Amino acid sequence: MTVLRLTVGHQRRSILSPLGVACFSPLPPLNCCLTQYTANGVKFITSLLLAMVVAFGGLSACKSQSKAEKERKAALRKKAKAELRDEATDVDFDAFIGRLRKAVSAHDVTTLATMMTPNFGCRLSPALEGDGVFKYWDQENLWPELEGILSEKFVKGDDDYMVAPPQFADKSLNYDGYRAGVRRVNGSWKFAYFVNG
């Protein structure tokens, strides 16, 4: 192997020739530069690949987490629907509730009286039922509350009652707010109670 020393400008360089041929180049030997550039290149490419793995791995983890979250929420909704008993689907019930809501929003006590049971319950403690219901609602300003409760969905409750709001039918919630109940009396739907507590 031939070693050739040459001076370019102020720098003195040795160029190795594996074939024994002298090479003249003003540049530093290739092996030293490649090592430096290769090491930096490997570091850069490794860092870039690592960043891509983290970015895409994080995105796929977010997607799978959101998918899992959606599945969990769907299962909870399905469970909640199963726990609440089936909502009334017969046409006469829907028509009765529509007429009841309309009469309450108009404060039409004549129509309401025909839609209520004779022993309509309007207070649990002390118990109050029968006559005096409308006077009690006026004194306690319960018309807006009654209208709000009747706007809720009715679901099956205990003893063949359809109740609103649906939270009242779920015993695990221990709902003790205002609630309304309707039931069939002699084949017709009747408004049976609107109570609190």
Side-chain angles (χ1 to χ4, degrees), residues 95-122 130-138 142-147 150 154 180-183 189-194:
F96 173 78
I97 294 299
R99 288 192 315 272
L100 181 62
R101 289 173 177 159
K102 187 176 180 180
V104 167
S105 67
H107 295 222
D108 185 354
V109 295
T110 307
T111 303
L112 278 172
T114 64
M115 301 177 84
M116 299 165 84
T117 59
N119 61 343
F120 181 85
C122 63
D131 294 335
V133 171
F134 304 120
K135 185 177 179 182
Y136 176 71
W137 288 349
D138 286 332
L142 292 177
W143 289 98
E145 188 69 37
L146 175 60
E147 197 171 344
L150 291 178
F154 278 79
V182 298
R183 67 183 177 109
W189 287 103
K190 293 290 183 179
F191 188 21
Y193 64 83
F194 174 66

Side-chain angles (χ1 to χ4, degrees), residues 159-170:
D159 301 326
D160 297 325
Y161 282 94
M162 296 297 292
V163 296
Q167 295 87 341
F168 178 62
D170 186 354

Side-chain angles (χ1 to χ4, degrees), residues 42-115:
V42 169
K43 288 179 186 175
F44 175 75
I45 290 174
T46 304
S47 299
L48 184 64
L49 287 174
L50 183 61
M52 287 175 49
V53 166
V54 168
F56 291 119
L59 289 177
S60 66
C62 289
K63 287 180 186 175
S64 65
Q65 182 182 14
S66 65
K67 185 178 178 183
E69 185 70 20
K70 287 178 185 177
E71 289 173 358
R72 186 181 67 79
K73 286 182 181 180
L76 284 175
R77 270 184 290 206
K78 192 174 190 179
K79 183 180 176 185
K81 284 182 182 178
E83 286 177 1
L84 289 178
R85 296 175 222 162
D86 290 337
E87 163 185 359
T89 55
D90 51 348
V91 176
D92 62 334
F93 175 78
D94 292 337
F96 173 78
I97 294 299
R99 288 192 315 272
L100 181 62
R101 289 173 177 159
K102 187 176 180 180
V104 167
S105 67
H107 295 222
D108 185 354
V109 295
T110 307
T111 303
L112 278 172
T114 64
M115 301 177 84

Side-chain angles (χ1 to χ4, degrees), residues 16-32:
L16 302 176
S17 174
L19 302 174
V21 178
C23 295
F24 298 98
S25 173
L27 298 175
L30 264 176
N31 59 356
C32 110

